[in-house]
Amino acid sequence: MTRLMADAVRRLADLPEDRQNEIARMLIDAADAELSGEPQLTEQQLTEVDQALAEDGPYVSADEMEAFFARYRR
């Protein structure tokens, strides 16, 4: 464990137990995602994605997207 991680754990020990557990779950999720190489979404995030996909809204064409990204490519 790095010094930075050890320092973070020491600081987290001063938090209330429910916050410690919440942050521990976030760290575990981040570590699992990093190790698997695939992004992991929470149920809430998946719900938000589904809601966003279900919304009718202004969409851009593939050509418009390409033009947008072309401005930032080198």
Side-chain angles (χ1 to χ4, degrees):
M1 180 182 312
T2 67
R3 279 188 195 173
L4 182 59
M5 181 59 79
D7 184 43
V9 170
R10 278 191 298 277
R11 290 177 190 211
L12 293 173
D14 294 334
L15 296 175
E17 186 175 312
D18 61 327
R19 288 294 292 146
Q20 288 183 37
N21 286 336
E22 184 179 340
I23 294 169
R25 282 187 202 95
M26 288 189 290
L27 289 171
I28 290 168
D29 289 345
D32 287 348
E34 188 73 24
L35 292 170
S36 73
E38 297 179 11
Q40 303 291 316
L41 300 178
T42 65
E43 286 300 318
Q44 180 180 350
Q45 290 169 323
L46 289 170
T47 299
E48 290 171 4
V49 168
D50 288 340
Q51 289 171 347
L53 291 173
E55 292 176 3
D56 265 344
Y59 298 102
V60 298
S61 70
D63 289 338
E64 290 170 311
M65 282 305 295
E66 179 57 34
F68 173 80
F69 285 112
R71 288 186 292 194
Y72 299 100
R73 285 192 198 114
R74 292 188 187 246

mmCIF file of all heavy atoms in Angstrom, residues 13-54:
data_model
loop_
_atom_site.group_PDB
_atom_site.id
_atom_site.type_symbol
_atom_site.label_atom_id
_atom_site.label_comp_id
_atom_site.label_asym_id
_atom_site.label_seq_id
_atom_site.Cartn_x
_atom_site.Cartn_y
_atom_site.Cartn_z
ATOM 1 N N ALA A 13 -10.713 6.680 8.977
ATOM 2 C CA ALA A 13 -11.041 6.056 10.260
ATOM 3 C C ALA A 13 -11.713 7.036 11.210
ATOM 4 O O ALA A 13 -12.420 6.615 12.136
ATOM 5 C CB ALA A 13 -9.774 5.487 10.889
ATOM 6 N N ASP A 14 -11.542 8.333 10.989
ATOM 7 C CA ASP A 14 -12.161 9.346 11.837
ATOM 8 C C ASP A 14 -13.611 9.648 11.448
ATOM 9 O O ASP A 14 -14.312 10.352 12.166
ATOM 10 C CB ASP A 14 -11.355 10.650 11.795
ATOM 11 C CG ASP A 14 -9.977 10.495 12.428
ATOM 12 O OD1 ASP A 14 -9.814 9.622 13.299
ATOM 13 O OD2 ASP A 14 -9.070 11.252 12.034
ATOM 14 N N LEU A 15 -14.043 9.133 10.332
ATOM 15 C CA LEU A 15 -15.410 9.385 9.874
ATOM 16 C C LEU A 15 -16.390 8.441 10.553
ATOM 17 O O LEU A 15 -16.007 7.365 11.024
ATOM 18 C CB LEU A 15 -15.500 9.200 8.358
ATOM 19 C CG LEU A 15 -14.691 10.159 7.495
ATOM 20 C CD1 LEU A 15 -14.803 9.754 6.035
ATOM 21 C CD2 LEU A 15 -15.158 11.587 7.691
ATOM 22 N N PRO A 16 -17.680 8.803 10.559
ATOM 23 C CA PRO A 16 -18.685 7.880 11.088
ATOM 24 C C PRO A 16 -18.715 6.581 10.270
ATOM 25 O O PRO A 16 -18.354 6.571 9.083
ATOM 26 C CB PRO A 16 -20.005 8.646 10.908
ATOM 27 C CG PRO A 16 -19.604 10.078 10.756
ATOM 28 C CD PRO A 16 -18.240 10.079 10.148
ATOM 29 N N GLU A 17 -19.143 5.513 10.916
ATOM 30 C CA GLU A 17 -19.101 4.184 10.297
ATOM 31 C C GLU A 17 -19.861 4.130 8.975
ATOM 32 O O GLU A 17 -19.378 3.523 8.005
ATOM 33 C CB GLU A 17 -19.682 3.158 11.259
ATOM 34 C CG GLU A 17 -19.542 1.737 10.757
ATOM 35 C CD GLU A 17 -20.019 0.719 11.774
ATOM 36 O OE1 GLU A 17 -19.618 0.828 12.951
ATOM 37 O OE2 GLU A 17 -20.788 -0.162 11.380
ATOM 38 N N ASP A 18 -21.030 4.774 8.874
ATOM 39 C CA ASP A 18 -21.797 4.713 7.630
ATOM 40 C C ASP A 18 -21.045 5.379 6.479
ATOM 41 O O ASP A 18 -21.061 4.894 5.347
ATOM 42 C CB ASP A 18 -23.198 5.302 7.799
ATOM 43 C CG ASP A 18 -23.189 6.772 8.208
ATOM 44 O OD1 ASP A 18 -22.282 7.198 8.941
ATOM 45 O OD2 ASP A 18 -24.118 7.493 7.791
ATOM 46 N N ARG A 19 -20.348 6.483 6.755
ATOM 47 C CA ARG A 19 -19.548 7.140 5.713
ATOM 48 C C ARG A 19 -18.331 6.296 5.343
ATOM 49 O O ARG A 19 -17.954 6.225 4.177
ATOM 50 C CB ARG A 19 -19.095 8.530 6.183
ATOM 51 C CG ARG A 19 -20.192 9.550 6.234
ATOM 52 C CD ARG A 19 -20.746 9.898 4.851
ATOM 53 N NE ARG A 19 -19.724 10.615 4.070
ATOM 54 C CZ ARG A 19 -19.574 10.503 2.764
ATOM 55 N NH1 ARG A 19 -20.375 9.758 2.055
ATOM 56 N NH2 ARG A 19 -18.632 11.151 2.139
ATOM 57 N N GLN A 20 -17.714 5.654 6.326
ATOM 58 C CA GLN A 20 -16.589 4.758 6.042
ATOM 59 C C GLN A 20 -17.033 3.657 5.086
ATOM 60 O O GLN A 20 -16.338 3.345 4.113
ATOM 61 C CB GLN A 20 -16.050 4.133 7.323
ATOM 62 C CG GLN A 20 -15.292 5.077 8.217
ATOM 63 C CD GLN A 20 -14.733 4.374 9.432
ATOM 64 O OE1 GLN A 20 -14.307 3.229 9.349
ATOM 65 N NE2 GLN A 20 -14.744 5.064 10.579
ATOM 66 N N ASN A 21 -18.194 3.057 5.367
ATOM 67 C CA ASN A 21 -18.701 1.978 4.512
ATOM 68 C C ASN A 21 -19.024 2.477 3.108
ATOM 69 O O ASN A 21 -18.730 1.801 2.116
ATOM 70 C CB ASN A 21 -19.928 1.335 5.140
ATOM 71 C CG ASN A 21 -19.577 0.465 6.317
ATOM 72 O OD1 ASN A 21 -18.457 -0.024 6.433
ATOM 73 N ND2 ASN A 21 -20.526 0.289 7.218
ATOM 74 N N GLU A 22 -19.611 3.669 3.020
ATOM 75 C CA GLU A 22 -19.945 4.225 1.715
ATOM 76 C C GLU A 22 -18.684 4.458 0.883
ATOM 77 O O GLU A 22 -18.617 4.098 -0.291
ATOM 78 C CB GLU A 22 -20.708 5.537 1.911
ATOM 79 C CG GLU A 22 -21.200 6.161 0.625
ATOM 80 C CD GLU A 22 -21.981 7.439 0.871
ATOM 81 O OE1 GLU A 22 -22.457 7.653 2.000
ATOM 82 O OE2 GLU A 22 -22.094 8.229 -0.076
ATOM 83 N N ILE A 23 -17.676 5.038 1.498
ATOM 84 C CA ILE A 23 -16.427 5.312 0.783
ATOM 85 C C ILE A 23 -15.700 4.012 0.465
ATOM 86 O O ILE A 23 -15.127 3.859 -0.623
ATOM 87 C CB ILE A 23 -15.548 6.288 1.591
ATOM 88 C CG1 ILE A 23 -16.251 7.657 1.659
ATOM 89 C CG2 ILE A 23 -14.149 6.413 0.992
ATOM 90 C CD1 ILE A 23 -15.642 8.638 2.628
ATOM 91 N N ALA A 24 -15.743 3.051 1.364
ATOM 92 C CA ALA A 24 -15.120 1.747 1.105
ATOM 93 C C ALA A 24 -15.761 1.081 -0.107
ATOM 94 O O ALA A 24 -15.063 0.508 -0.953
ATOM 95 C CB ALA A 24 -15.227 0.853 2.328
ATOM 96 N N ARG A 25 -17.099 1.166 -0.209
ATOM 97 C CA ARG A 25 -17.779 0.581 -1.375
ATOM 98 C C ARG A 25 -17.340 1.274 -2.664
ATOM 99 O O ARG A 25 -17.139 0.619 -3.691
ATOM 100 C CB ARG A 25 -19.295 0.687 -1.208
ATOM 101 C CG ARG A 25 -19.856 -0.339 -0.273
ATOM 102 C CD ARG A 25 -21.391 -0.330 -0.262
ATOM 103 N NE ARG A 25 -21.859 -0.919 0.972
ATOM 104 C CZ ARG A 25 -22.189 -0.243 2.065
ATOM 105 N NH1 ARG A 25 -22.132 1.069 2.076
ATOM 106 N NH2 ARG A 25 -22.590 -0.855 3.149
ATOM 107 N N MET A 26 -17.181 2.607 -2.610
ATOM 108 C CA MET A 26 -16.728 3.335 -3.794
ATOM 109 C C MET A 26 -15.320 2.891 -4.200
ATOM 110 O O MET A 26 -15.039 2.693 -5.382
ATOM 111 C CB MET A 26 -16.750 4.844 -3.541
ATOM 112 C CG MET A 26 -18.144 5.430 -3.494
ATOM 113 S SD MET A 26 -18.177 7.236 -3.458
ATOM 114 C CE MET A 26 -17.544 7.572 -1.825
ATOM 115 N N LEU A 27 -14.434 2.726 -3.220
ATOM 116 C CA LEU A 27 -13.072 2.279 -3.515
ATOM 117 C C LEU A 27 -13.061 0.873 -4.101
ATOM 118 O O LEU A 27 -12.326 0.584 -5.050
ATOM 119 C CB LEU A 27 -12.206 2.334 -2.257
ATOM 120 C CG LEU A 27 -11.835 3.717 -1.757
ATOM 121 C CD1 LEU A 27 -11.158 3.632 -0.398
ATOM 122 C CD2 LEU A 27 -10.945 4.424 -2.761
ATOM 123 N N ILE A 28 -13.869 -0.005 -3.516
ATOM 124 C CA ILE A 28 -13.943 -1.380 -4.026
ATOM 125 C C ILE A 28 -14.474 -1.380 -5.450
ATOM 126 O O ILE A 28 -13.940 -2.070 -6.327
ATOM 127 C CB ILE A 28 -14.797 -2.255 -3.091
ATOM 128 C CG1 ILE A 28 -14.049 -2.493 -1.780
ATOM 129 C CG2 ILE A 28 -15.168 -3.577 -3.767
ATOM 130 C CD1 ILE A 28 -14.900 -3.108 -0.678
ATOM 131 N N ASP A 29 -15.523 -0.606 -5.714
ATOM 132 C CA ASP A 29 -16.077 -0.529 -7.070
ATOM 133 C C ASP A 29 -15.041 0.007 -8.054
ATOM 134 O O ASP A 29 -14.899 -0.515 -9.166
ATOM 135 C CB ASP A 29 -17.322 0.362 -7.098
ATOM 136 C CG ASP A 29 -18.526 -0.273 -6.413
ATOM 137 O OD1 ASP A 29 -18.507 -1.500 -6.161
ATOM 138 O OD2 ASP A 29 -19.482 0.472 -6.121
ATOM 139 N N ALA A 30 -14.311 1.040 -7.637
ATOM 140 C CA ALA A 30 -13.285 1.615 -8.514
ATOM 141 C C ALA A 30 -12.174 0.601 -8.783
ATOM 142 O O ALA A 30 -11.707 0.461 -9.916
ATOM 143 C CB ALA A 30 -12.709 2.881 -7.900
ATOM 144 N N ALA A 31 -11.759 -0.118 -7.743
ATOM 145 C CA ALA A 31 -10.706 -1.125 -7.913
ATOM 146 C C ALA A 31 -11.185 -2.256 -8.817
ATOM 147 O O ALA A 31 -10.452 -2.708 -9.704
ATOM 148 C CB ALA A 31 -10.268 -1.671 -6.556
ATOM 149 N N ASP A 32 -12.410 -2.713 -8.616
ATOM 150 C CA ASP A 32 -12.958 -3.779 -9.459
ATOM 151 C C ASP A 32 -13.024 -3.353 -10.919
ATOM 152 O O ASP A 32 -12.673 -4.123 -11.813
ATOM 153 C CB ASP A 32 -14.356 -4.188 -8.980
ATOM 154 C CG ASP A 32 -14.339 -4.990 -7.702
ATOM 155 O OD1 ASP A 32 -13.248 -5.441 -7.282
ATOM 156 O OD2 ASP A 32 -15.420 -5.162 -7.094
ATOM 157 N N ALA A 33 -13.463 -2.107 -11.160
ATOM 158 C CA ALA A 33 -13.539 -1.603 -12.527
ATOM 159 C C ALA A 33 -12.153 -1.510 -13.149
ATOM 160 O O ALA A 33 -11.952 -1.871 -14.305
ATOM 161 C CB ALA A 33 -14.229 -0.237 -12.546
ATOM 162 N N GLU A 34 -11.193 -1.049 -12.372
ATOM 163 C CA GLU A 34 -9.820 -0.931 -12.867
ATOM 164 C C GLU A 34 -9.242 -2.302 -13.204
ATOM 165 O O GLU A 34 -8.594 -2.489 -14.227
ATOM 166 C CB GLU A 34 -8.964 -0.226 -11.808
ATOM 167 C CG GLU A 34 -7.581 0.123 -12.251
ATOM 168 C CD GLU A 34 -7.543 1.293 -13.223
ATOM 169 O OE1 GLU A 34 -8.458 2.118 -13.243
ATOM 170 O OE2 GLU A 34 -6.543 1.361 -13.975
ATOM 171 N N LEU A 35 -9.486 -3.266 -12.336
ATOM 172 C CA LEU A 35 -8.944 -4.608 -12.546
ATOM 173 C C LEU A 35 -9.616 -5.335 -13.700
ATOM 174 O O LEU A 35 -8.984 -6.103 -14.408
ATOM 175 C CB LEU A 35 -9.061 -5.435 -11.266
ATOM 176 C CG LEU A 35 -8.170 -4.962 -10.105
ATOM 177 C CD1 LEU A 35 -8.551 -5.687 -8.816
ATOM 178 C CD2 LEU A 35 -6.708 -5.174 -10.435
ATOM 179 N N SER A 36 -10.899 -5.078 -13.906
ATOM 180 C CA SER A 36 -11.622 -5.768 -14.981
ATOM 181 C C SER A 36 -11.370 -5.116 -16.334
ATOM 182 O O SER A 36 -11.584 -5.742 -17.368
ATOM 183 C CB SER A 36 -13.131 -5.771 -14.698
ATOM 184 O OG SER A 36 -13.689 -4.481 -14.902
ATOM 185 N N GLY A 37 -10.948 -3.857 -16.310
ATOM 186 C CA GLY A 37 -10.713 -3.157 -17.562
ATOM 187 C C GLY A 37 -11.987 -2.654 -18.207
ATOM 188 O O GLY A 37 -11.972 -2.102 -19.284
ATOM 189 N N GLU A 38 -13.119 -2.873 -17.555
ATOM 190 C CA GLU A 38 -14.401 -2.434 -18.083
ATOM 191 C C GLU A 38 -15.061 -1.493 -17.086
ATOM 192 O O GLU A 38 -14.996 -1.725 -15.882
ATOM 193 C CB GLU A 38 -15.317 -3.637 -18.317
ATOM 194 C CG GLU A 38 -14.791 -4.607 -19.341
ATOM 195 C CD GLU A 38 -15.712 -5.802 -19.519
ATOM 196 O OE1 GLU A 38 -16.844 -5.767 -19.003
ATOM 197 O OE2 GLU A 38 -15.290 -6.756 -20.171
ATOM 198 N N PRO A 39 -15.693 -0.446 -17.593
ATOM 199 C CA PRO A 39 -16.387 0.451 -16.664
ATOM 200 C C PRO A 39 -17.552 -0.256 -16.000
ATOM 201 O O PRO A 39 -18.241 -1.053 -16.641
ATOM 202 C CB PRO A 39 -16.868 1.596 -17.555
ATOM 203 C CG PRO A 39 -16.890 1.041 -18.933
ATOM 204 C CD PRO A 39 -15.846 -0.045 -18.974
ATOM 205 N N GLN A 40 -17.748 -0.008 -14.733
ATOM 206 C CA GLN A 40 -18.844 -0.599 -13.982
ATOM 207 C C GLN A 40 -19.793 0.518 -13.569
ATOM 208 O O GLN A 40 -19.371 1.473 -12.925
ATOM 209 C CB GLN A 40 -18.314 -1.314 -12.733
ATOM 210 C CG GLN A 40 -17.283 -2.382 -13.029
ATOM 211 C CD GLN A 40 -17.874 -3.577 -13.743
ATOM 212 O OE1 GLN A 40 -18.933 -4.051 -13.388
ATOM 213 N NE2 GLN A 40 -17.181 -4.052 -14.752
ATOM 214 N N LEU A 41 -21.047 0.401 -13.943
ATOM 215 C CA LEU A 41 -22.031 1.404 -13.581
ATOM 216 C C LEU A 41 -22.895 0.901 -12.441
ATOM 217 O O LEU A 41 -23.217 -0.286 -12.373
ATOM 218 C CB LEU A 41 -22.923 1.746 -14.778
ATOM 219 C CG LEU A 41 -22.223 2.312 -16.003
ATOM 220 C CD1 LEU A 41 -23.219 2.555 -17.132
ATOM 221 C CD2 LEU A 41 -21.507 3.602 -15.669
ATOM 222 N N THR A 42 -23.277 1.815 -11.563
ATOM 223 C CA THR A 42 -24.186 1.460 -10.485
ATOM 224 C C THR A 42 -25.597 1.330 -11.054
ATOM 225 O O THR A 42 -25.877 1.763 -12.183
ATOM 226 C CB THR A 42 -24.188 2.547 -9.392
ATOM 227 O OG1 THR A 42 -24.717 3.758 -9.961
ATOM 228 C CG2 THR A 42 -22.785 2.790 -8.839
ATOM 229 N N GLU A 43 -26.501 0.782 -10.265
ATOM 230 C CA GLU A 43 -27.898 0.674 -10.699
ATOM 231 C C GLU A 43 -28.467 2.061 -10.985
ATOM 232 O O GLU A 43 -29.202 2.246 -11.951
ATOM 233 C CB GLU A 43 -28.728 -0.036 -9.627
ATOM 234 C CG GLU A 43 -28.479 -1.528 -9.557
ATOM 235 C CD GLU A 43 -28.803 -2.247 -10.857
ATOM 236 O OE1 GLU A 43 -29.835 -1.935 -11.494
ATOM 237 O OE2 GLU A 43 -28.010 -3.132 -11.249
ATOM 238 N N GLN A 44 -28.132 3.032 -10.145
ATOM 239 C CA GLN A 44 -28.614 4.401 -10.363
ATOM 240 C C GLN A 44 -28.095 4.956 -11.681
ATOM 241 O O GLN A 44 -28.833 5.580 -12.440
ATOM 242 C CB GLN A 44 -28.203 5.302 -9.205
ATOM 243 C CG GLN A 44 -28.680 6.740 -9.388
ATOM 244 C CD GLN A 44 -28.270 7.645 -8.237
ATOM 245 O OE1 GLN A 44 -27.783 7.181 -7.220
ATOM 246 N NE2 GLN A 44 -28.456 8.931 -8.417
ATOM 247 N N GLN A 45 -26.811 4.720 -11.962
ATOM 248 C CA GLN A 45 -26.236 5.210 -13.214
ATOM 249 C C GLN A 45 -26.887 4.538 -14.409
ATOM 250 O O GLN A 45 -27.166 5.187 -15.423
ATOM 251 C CB GLN A 45 -24.730 4.984 -13.226
ATOM 252 C CG GLN A 45 -23.980 5.876 -12.261
ATOM 253 C CD GLN A 45 -22.532 5.469 -12.094
ATOM 254 O OE1 GLN A 45 -22.205 4.278 -12.096
ATOM 255 N NE2 GLN A 45 -21.660 6.454 -11.940
ATOM 256 N N LEU A 46 -27.140 3.227 -14.309
ATOM 257 C CA LEU A 46 -27.805 2.519 -15.399
ATOM 258 C C LEU A 46 -29.202 3.073 -15.637
ATOM 259 O O LEU A 46 -29.632 3.239 -16.783
ATOM 260 C CB LEU A 46 -27.873 1.019 -15.095
ATOM 261 C CG LEU A 46 -26.537 0.276 -15.156
ATOM 262 C CD1 LEU A 46 -26.695 -1.134 -14.613
ATOM 263 C CD2 LEU A 46 -26.004 0.249 -16.574
ATOM 264 N N THR A 47 -29.916 3.375 -14.546
ATOM 265 C CA THR A 47 -31.253 3.965 -14.657
ATOM 266 C C THR A 47 -31.181 5.316 -15.348
ATOM 267 O O THR A 47 -31.996 5.624 -16.228
ATOM 268 C CB THR A 47 -31.895 4.108 -13.264
ATOM 269 O OG1 THR A 47 -32.013 2.807 -12.685
ATOM 270 C CG2 THR A 47 -33.260 4.767 -13.342
ATOM 271 N N GLU A 48 -30.184 6.127 -14.985
ATOM 272 C CA GLU A 48 -30.020 7.444 -15.607
ATOM 273 C C GLU A 48 -29.701 7.322 -17.093
ATOM 274 O O GLU A 48 -30.213 8.098 -17.910
ATOM 275 C CB GLU A 48 -28.935 8.232 -14.890
ATOM 276 C CG GLU A 48 -29.331 8.667 -13.497
ATOM 277 C CD GLU A 48 -28.180 9.264 -12.697
ATOM 278 O OE1 GLU A 48 -27.071 9.409 -13.247
ATOM 279 O OE2 GLU A 48 -28.397 9.585 -11.517
ATOM 280 N N VAL A 49 -28.897 6.349 -17.455
ATOM 281 C CA VAL A 49 -28.583 6.121 -18.872
ATOM 282 C C VAL A 49 -29.850 5.725 -19.615
ATOM 283 O O VAL A 49 -30.150 6.252 -20.694
ATOM 284 C CB VAL A 49 -27.485 5.044 -19.034
ATOM 285 C CG1 VAL A 49 -27.369 4.609 -20.489
ATOM 286 C CG2 VAL A 49 -26.152 5.566 -18.526
ATOM 287 N N ASP A 50 -30.621 4.791 -19.041
ATOM 288 C CA ASP A 50 -31.872 4.363 -19.675
ATOM 289 C C ASP A 50 -32.827 5.536 -19.864
ATOM 290 O O ASP A 50 -33.455 5.673 -20.915
ATOM 291 C CB ASP A 50 -32.543 3.260 -18.856
ATOM 292 C CG ASP A 50 -31.810 1.939 -18.944
ATOM 293 O OD1 ASP A 50 -31.014 1.742 -19.898
ATOM 294 O OD2 ASP A 50 -32.027 1.085 -18.058
ATOM 295 N N GLN A 51 -32.929 6.394 -18.846
ATOM 296 C CA GLN A 51 -33.810 7.557 -18.941
ATOM 297 C C GLN A 51 -33.334 8.518 -20.027
ATOM 298 O O GLN A 51 -34.142 9.040 -20.803
ATOM 299 C CB GLN A 51 -33.886 8.288 -17.596
ATOM 300 C CG GLN A 51 -34.651 7.523 -16.546
ATOM 301 C CD GLN A 51 -34.524 8.151 -15.165
ATOM 302 O OE1 GLN A 51 -33.689 9.018 -14.931
ATOM 303 N NE2 GLN A 51 -35.355 7.695 -14.236
ATOM 304 N N ALA A 52 -32.053 8.735 -20.093
ATOM 305 C CA ALA A 52 -31.505 9.650 -21.102
ATOM 306 C C ALA A 52 -31.734 9.096 -22.506
ATOM 307 O O ALA A 52 -32.068 9.845 -23.431
ATOM 308 C CB ALA A 52 -30.018 9.885 -20.849
ATOM 309 N N LEU A 53 -31.582 7.782 -22.671
ATOM 310 C CA LEU A 53 -31.798 7.179 -23.982
ATOM 311 C C LEU A 53 -33.261 7.222 -24.393
ATOM 312 O O LEU A 53 -33.582 7.260 -25.585
ATOM 313 C CB LEU A 53 -31.282 5.739 -23.987
ATOM 314 C CG LEU A 53 -29.767 5.573 -23.905
ATOM 315 C CD1 LEU A 53 -29.392 4.099 -23.744
ATOM 316 C CD2 LEU A 53 -29.095 6.162 -25.139
ATOM 317 N N ALA A 54 -34.161 7.191 -23.414
ATOM 318 C CA ALA A 54 -35.590 7.198 -23.705
ATOM 319 C C ALA A 54 -36.112 8.585 -24.062
ATOM 320 O O ALA A 54 -37.185 8.717 -24.657
ATOM 321 C CB ALA A 54 -36.364 6.653 -22.510
#
